[in-house]
Structure formats: structure tokens, C-alpha cells
Amino acid sequence: MSILKIKNVHLKIENKPILKGISLSVNKGEIHAVMGPNGSGKSTLSYMLAGREGYELESGEVKFENKDITSFLPNERANAGLFLAFQYPVELPGVSSVNFLREAVNSRRKYLGKEEFNHLNFVKEVRKVADEMFVKDEMLKRSVNVGFSGGEKKRFEILQMALLQPVLSILDETDSGLDIDALKIVSHGVNKYKNNDNAIILITHYQRLLDYIVPDFVHILVDGEIKRSGGPELAKYVEKNGYAGIINAA
Amino acid sequence: MQHKPNEQFKSKLEKFVNDNFEDKFLRKNFLNRFNSWPSSKIESWKLSRLGKLSRKEISPLLPNESDFDKNIKFLKRSYSLVFYDGIYRESLSDKLPENIEISFFEIKELEEFLNKCGNQEILSHPTLNITASCAKNYLKIKIKKNFSLDLPLEIIQYGGDSKHSIHPLILVELEENSALNLIQLYKSSSALIAPLEIVKVGKNSNLEIVKIFDDSDYCHNLSLTIKIIEENSECKSFNLIKGGAFSRSENHVFLKGESSSVDLNGVYLSSDDQHHDLTSVIYHNVPNCRSSQKVRGVLNNNSSGVFQGKVVVEKNAQKSDAHQMSRVLLLSDKANSNSKPELEIYADDVICSHGATVGELDEDQIFYLLSRGLNKEKAQHIMIDAFLTEIIEDSINAIYLENIKNETILGFKKILET
Ligand SMILES: Nc1ncnc2c1ncn2[C@@H]1O[C@H](COP(=O)(O)OP(=O)(O)O)[C@@H](O)[C@H]1O
Ligand SMILES: [Mg+2]
């Protein structure tokens, strides 16, 4: 069953074409890796999907669970089950992490017609999940992402994913800047969350992450276009030969 | 004869004083110092102009003597003193414990206080002069030596109408070794309210004041507070300005005793055509004192906000510690903020700092919140709340912290709606 269908998407930023005809189809239970050099448009693709202002498509189609979401606000997409783990998680000084998580989770629960958590119940819930994701209690008491190390920020993104139980998660370079131990923790979180009813788009430019999270499909995004798609072996090829071969071949 | 608007108010004041007070000759010492509203050429009124006020055809209100039956407490557990039309209403107020004394005082005591301040500048202030001449009575609230009031004291200002000015005058005195938490609420419906407040904090005492400005939307509030702080005492004050057409909270503080300190913090929340102003002058008269002014403003639509904070460190006031910081959030490109921190330092061994920032809500932060399912309104609430919470928690120790936070939330919800 289709979760996401992107058809021939074009997008310009400040009049400069950034995405130049992207198509991608993601079904339930699948993990797609999107790889590509810096500046190829990976984050732009993720912002476009999340509905960020200024990242509206110029032409093409985006369907999420068979609904055209191009006119949905970012919060409507999130509540419908689309999640973006940011490449650079944003610091929110003065906003307590627990309250932030509760607001997020309750927004989604409200959308799903489930009862919202009160503070006490939520703290119990978050403790349980945080423990599974190796997020320390003490981190939850701080302001969102403030004073978090690089690894803590990424773990906090994964914790949000685990709490929100999205249908589609887009992880934008969640692996970059992590050492092996942190990478293992994050991968553990992702694998634990993954099931046959949801899907993941893993944006990365290292093959390294794919040793821990095995993708069903790999797409190589270069200069705003998907130049090649294949199975996990494509990632290995890129690791050995770099993107140059693919760029030249195209 | 046709009067210019300014002169018109002056002649109404004169008539009011002549008609109503036996001690009119004493009152005229003040009245004679008021000729017209300060023009925008006067430095301290440049950023907060009184043109609109001078065009209002108003006269001082002869307070209605009958009392009103209203449930007008702000806190559930407090001692409340209610003012209506600028005068104290005993029948609407709570009975106070023995160690807190309410009385009337003479104009002479006000003059002595001003002499003690030893400052010429203040003598020309319009609020001082019109309110000292027009106040029906001068009320003193005294906290006796060695006494700490167990509950907050709240003073609420109601009444007035759109054709008149009202003139409450209050002296708050803390004798040695006493403590008080004071909340003042301005909820008048007058064209002009000109509250004059005199504060004396005796040695080893502790005063925390919260003022909430929430008058009617056509009201000018020209609040003036003059404080003398004695040795080893602390005065923390927090202003929440959200109502009125024009609300200015002006404080002049004289740190007269060593090891004393003052905090003059504030938040203004402004929208539509509102103008809000926090103005202060802090005099470090003696060594080893500390002062701090922290201001946060949130401005929407066409509103404007002003912070003018001046610190004067006198020559002998070594080891003074003075800080000022103003941060403003603009929610509209038509809103306008002015910060004017000023340091006038005559001593050489001091630590002083000041700074000011103006910005908008951060797009990355808002998008991060939206991407987690929160709607735009909620996202803005959260970021504004975060922007304001720190300073509120910093300014208030007393049990009513949560009440003040709620008042603040109501305030910024309102400016987001308009
Ligand atoms: N907000 C922006 N303003 C201007 N240019 C942008 C903006 N966002 C992305 N770009 C440009 O779009 C291109 C793709 O960027 P990005 O999507 O961040 O690449 P990647 O994530 O693959 O490294 C780059 O050339 C970048 O400079
Ligand atoms: Mg990127």
C-alpha cells in the first residue's frame, strides 16, 4: 500500500531550480535511503515534504496516503503522520522538553481521536519510551535542544519519532556527526520503531548508517535529480566509487 | 477667551484646587510648577509624546462619595485595599492586621520626602505636580518595625470616566526590618489616571512590588513612583503593562543606604495603537549598591514601546553594580520600539552594563514547532511564553508568581488576537 507518492516535483528557491523533476514511491513497510553529495537538494526535499514555507513545489504531485497534501500546513502533515527528524534540530530556550513533547504527542492524539495525556500520565509514558531510546531523564528537564550535544539532539529527534508513531519518518542526516556508539543507539531506536505499517526515508551521505539500518531501496540524488535507484548494493557501489561515476554516467 | 488645550487643563486644575481644598495654598506650590504637558522637546518625553493627552478636554474628577458593591479582589488570599475614582474606600477594603497602619498624611511630609531625595529634576514632573495638588487625600500605608505581612497586600484602582482625570496618591512606608509583598492593579476607566506613589524602605527591609497596568483602552496612565531605599534593604519591582491607550510606568529610585539593591523589571504587551513606556532613573547615592533593570516587550500591529533606563552613579558611590537589558519582540513590521539605556557614572570603581535587542519570532523555531503538529497560534504562544517566563520568574518570589504568569499569558493572547 502506498504511503508516499512523489511525481515529477520541481521546486525553486529564490528563482534557482533546486529539485528538478523528482519522483519517488514509498509503500508500507519499506525503508528508502536517499543519498547524495552536499547541496544536492536532500534537505530541500525533506522541507518540501514537511510543508515548510518557501518550499512550495512549482509543479508535480505529492500524495501522502493517497491524499494530495500540497496545500496542507506543516502541522496538518505532522498530525496526519508525517515526521521529519531535522538535520539541525532547533534550540528552543525556555521551552521545557517534556512540555514540548506533550504538546506534540497530544496534537497527534487529538487528530487521531485519542484521549490527550495529562501531565502525569505523559511523564510516565515519556519515561518509558525515553528509556528505550537511551534518553536520560535529566535531558527532559532541560529546554528543547539547549545545551544538548550533537548526539543528544539526534537521540531526542528519534525519541520524538518513537512517541509520535508517525506513518512516514524522514530522517535527514540523523547519522552525521555521530560516533559509532551514538550511531548504534540511533539505529536501535529506528529499528525498534519500524514495522510493517510504517515507512522510513533515510537521508544520508554515508553508507555507514546502512550497515545498521538496512534499506529496501537506495536512491542517488545529485543536483536535484534522482540519477539512479537500486537496492542496498547501490550504496556499496557509491561508497567504493563515490558519486562521480553516477554523475558522469547520467 | 480661547485657551490652548494645555492651558485649558491648567485652568481647570486651578479651579479644582480653589474650589475643593482648604490647604490650597500649600497645594499651589505643586500646581505652580505645572504649566502645561511637557513638550516633545523635553528629553524624557521625546519618545512618549503627550499630544493626544493635551488634546483631551478633561478636568479632575470630584470623586463620587458613594461606595460600590463589587467583588474586585485579584488574589483569593490577600489583604486588598480598594480605590475608586482615585480615593481609598475603606468599606470595600479588607481589614488589616495591627502592625500595618493606614492613615492620612500632610503635604509637608511629601515635601520633606522630596527634600530628602535632593533632586531638582523630579520637581517638574507633571504627575507629581498635578496629583499632589488634586489628590483628595494623601494615604499612608505603614508597615511597622519588625513586621512581615503574612499575605500579599493588593491595591486596586477602579473608577473614573472618559471626561476626567483621577489622582490617587499613596505613600508606602516600610519601617526597619519589615517585609511586604505588594500588588497594584490599575483598572481605571478614566481619561487620565496619574498615580503618585512614594515608597520609603527602611533599613534591613524587603519590598516586592508588582504593578499591573490594565486600564480601559482610551486611558492615559502616567504613573510616577519615587522610592528611597535605606541600608541593607531590597526592593524588587515588576511591571506588567498591557492595558490603556498610553501607559507609562516611571520610577525614580534613590539608593540612599549602603548594601541596598533595587530591581526594576518589566514586561509590556502592546497592540493596535497602544503606547507603553517603562521609564526609570536609578540614583546610586552611596557605595556598594546594586541595581538591575530587565525589560521585555512584545509589540503587535501599530503599537509602540519604550524603555528608558537611566543609572546615575554618584562620585562616592564606589563598588556600584548596575545592569540594564531590554529585549523586544516585534510581531508586526508596523510596530515600533525604542530603547534608551543611559549610564551617567561619576565613580571609577563600578560594574555597569547595558544592552538592547529587537527581533522577530524566529522562523526556524516556529517551523520546528509546526512540524511537530502544533498550530501556528500555539507555536507563537510557546515562543512568546518562553521569551517572557525567565524575567517573570526572576522578578517574583512571592506566592502569586503563577497569577502573574497567567495575567501575562492573557495579555499576550489578547495582542495575538487583535
Ligand atoms: N533557504 C535557502 N535559501 C537559499 N538557498 C537554499 C536554501 N535552502 C537550500 N538552498 C540551496 O539549495 C541547494 C540544496 O540544498 P540542501 O537541500 O540543503 O542540500 P543537501 O541537504 O543535499 O546538502 C543548495 O544549493 C542550497 O544552497
Ligand atoms: Mg541537508
Side-chain angles (χ1 to χ4, degrees), chain A:
Chain A
M1 249 221 4
S2 168
I3 285 185
L4 181 73
K5 212 167 223 133
I6 306 177
K7 238 193 225 162
N8 201 20
V9 160
H10 289 259
L11 185 152
K12 282 184 183 167
I13 291 173
E14 287 164 358
N15 253 332
K16 187 177 144 206
I18 306 289
L19 302 182
K20 307 170 183 170
I22 295 211
S23 298
L24 184 66
S25 189
V26 179
N27 294 313
K28 272 191 179 172
E30 293 176 355
I31 299 181
H32 290 244
V34 174
M35 302 182 72
N38 268 331
S40 59
K42 302 184 297 295
S43 292
T44 303
L45 175 66
S46 70
Y47 285 148
M48 184 276 287
L49 289 171
R52 183 165 195 164
E53 210 180 312
Y55 291 78
E56 294 82 11
L57 46 166
E58 198 189 7
S59 63
E61 265 178 39
V62 180
K63 285 194 170 159
F64 179 65
E65 296 193 301
N66 298 317
K67 271 177 294 194
D68 176 4
I69 56 162
T70 47
S71 64
F72 280 32
L73 296 169
N75 47 308
E76 293 168 338
R77 300 180 193 210
N79 288 329
L82 192 148
F83 177 81
L84 169 62
F86 282 49
Q87 181 175 4
Y88 304 107
V90 181
E91 296 185 7
L92 306 178
V95 179
S96 106
S97 295
V98 179
N99 288 343
F100 166 81
L101 294 172
R102 183 161 69 102
E103 292 286 356
V105 169
N106 278 344
S107 297
R108 176 126 164 88
R109 288 179 75 89
K110 197 170 165 187
Y111 173 90
L112 295 173
K114 291 187 187 168
E115 199 188 335
E116 293 176 41
F117 281 114
N118 65 28
H119 185 71
L120 223 67
N121 289 341
F122 184 70
V123 169
K124 270 187 214 148
E125 165 79 7
V126 88
R127 283 237 169 89
K128 195 181 80 203
V129 182
D131 209 44
E132 290 169 7
M133 300 291 146
F134 300 96
V135 170
K136 284 168 281 174
D137 231 24
E138 175 263 336
M139 242 170 86
L140 299 172
K141 289 185 189 131
R142 286 189 252 155
S143 292
V144 175
N145 290 320
V146 176
F148 289 18
S149 69
E152 284 175 330
K153 283 183 182 166
K154 298 298 170 90
R155 253 181 283 159
F156 192 63
E157 295 290 292
I158 298 304
L159 170 62
Q160 292 170 50
M161 179 185 80
L163 284 166
L164 289 165
Q165 295 287 317
V167 180
L168 174 67
S169 298
I170 304 154
L171 311 183
D172 190 359
E173 297 206 28
T174 301
D175 55 328
S176 50
L178 298 186
D179 60 29
I180 283 293
D181 290 335
L183 193 66
K184 280 183 185 161
I185 290 174
V186 166
S187 310
H188 162 84
V190 173
N191 288 326
K192 194 157 173 109
Y193 145 81
K194 180 73 201 58
N195 62 37
N196 286 330
D197 285 320
N198 58 28
I200 295 178
I201 297 176
L202 273 181
I203 294 175
T204 178
H205 67 215
Y206 305 109
Q207 131 76 23
R208 196 175 69 145
L209 177 66
L210 307 181
D211 291 339
Y212 299 94
I213 307 171
V214 182
D216 302 296
F217 301 94
V218 176
H219 311 275
I220 309 299
L221 181 68
V222 180
D223 193 21
E225 286 178 81
I226 293 182
K227 302 272 182 186
R228 197 178 294 178
S229 295
E233 74 289 344
L234 186 54
K236 296 258 186 327
Y237 171 85
V238 168
E239 191 184 30
K240 224 190 252 158
N241 306 298
Y243 295 110
I246 289 171
I247 296 170
N248 296 337

Side-chain angles (χ1 to χ4, degrees), chain B residues 282-301:
Chain B
I282 297 174
Y283 296 90
H284 284 254
N285 300 113
V286 296
N288 295 314
C289 295
R290 185 190 67 81
S291 71
S292 164
Q293 296 164 85
K294 289 190 206 131
V295 171
R296 300 274 161 104
V298 184
L299 298 166
N300 202 1
N301 300 328

Side-chain angles (χ1 to χ4, degrees), chain A residues 47 52 74-75 78-79 83-84 86 90-95 100 103-104 107 145 157 160, chain B residues 362-376 378 382-383 385-387 389:
Chain A
Y47 285 148
R52 183 165 195 164
N75 47 308
N79 288 329
F83 177 81
L84 169 62
F86 282 49
V90 181
E91 296 185 7
L92 306 178
V95 179
F100 166 81
E103 292 286 356
S107 297
N145 290 320
E157 295 290 292
Q160 292 170 50
Chain B
D362 185 281
E363 258 181 58
D364 290 339
Q365 294 179 334
I366 297 294
F367 175 62
Y368 193 57
L369 289 161
L370 296 178
S371 77
R372 296 319 183 228
L374 285 67
N375 64 30
K376 193 166 174 190
K378 186 94 204 175
I382 287 181
M383 291 322 298
D385 193 41
F387 175 71
T389 296

Side-chain angles (χ1 to χ4, degrees), chain B residues 3 94 161 184 235:
Chain B
H3 287 288
D94 290 332
D161 63 46
Q184 291 180 265
C235 178

Side-chain angles (χ1 to χ4, degrees), chain B residues 186 211-215 221 223 239-243 249:
Chain B
Y186 301 97
K211 294 190 191 199
I212 301 175
F213 291 79
D214 198 12
D215 300 292
N221 189 323
S223 162
N239 294 276
L240 173 61
I241 307 187
K242 51 183 188 168
S249 177

Side-chain angles (χ1 to χ4, degrees), chain B residues 59-216:
Chain B
S59 55
L61 180 67
L62 197 59
N64 192 327
E65 290 292 343
S66 62
D67 276 344
F68 303 82
D69 189 23
K70 261 180 139 182
N71 181 17
I72 37 192
K73 264 174 99 85
F74 175 62
L75 299 174
K76 277 207 191 86
R77 285 168 46 75
S78 69
Y79 298 105
S80 75
L81 302 181
V82 175
F83 280 63
Y84 208 94
D85 289 351
I87 59 168
Y88 169 56
R89 310 293 172 140
E90 195 177 351
S91 64
L92 297 178
S93 302
D94 290 332
K95 202 174 155 353
L96 298 172
E98 245 173 43
N99 285 317
I100 177 170
E101 192 182 275
I102 301 267
S103 62
F104 295 117
F105 68 102
E106 301 290 319
I107 211 161
K108 213 174 97 211
E109 190 170 344
L110 176 61
E111 281 172 339
E112 282 165 9
F113 177 88
L114 292 168
N115 280 337
K116 186 159 183 206
C117 292
N119 182 273
Q120 289 299 312
E121 224 171 293
I122 193 113
L123 298 180
S124 63
H125 198 284
T127 300
L128 171 68
N129 292 319
I130 64 177
T131 292
S133 42
C134 296
K136 172 117 195 294
N137 45 47
Y138 292 17
L139 190 85
K140 187 194 305 199
I141 301 163
K142 180 149 89 182
I143 312 295
K144 292 194 180 158
K145 210 165 149 173
N146 303 325
F147 182 66
S148 302
L149 193 61
D150 54 340
L151 293 175
L153 179 69
E154 57 179 57
I155 301 178
I156 311 182
Q157 299 285 348
Y158 275 99
D161 63 46
S162 62
K163 297 268 181 291
H164 292 93
S165 59
I166 61 175
H167 301 274
L169 197 163
I170 303 171
L171 189 160
V172 176
E173 179 173 359
L174 271 72
E175 290 191 333
E176 280 183 41
N177 205 22
S178 65
L180 175 67
N181 290 322
L182 176 63
I183 292 195
Q184 291 180 265
L185 213 58
Y186 301 97
K187 277 191 158 300
S188 86
S189 315
S190 49
L192 166 66
I193 175 170
L196 173 60
E197 283 145 21
I198 304 299
V199 177
K200 298 182 184 179
V201 183
K203 286 181 191 170
N204 304 319
S205 293
N206 201 312
L207 174 61
E208 189 177 302
I209 305 182
V210 174
K211 294 190 191 199
I212 301 175
F213 291 79
D214 198 12
D215 300 292
S216 300

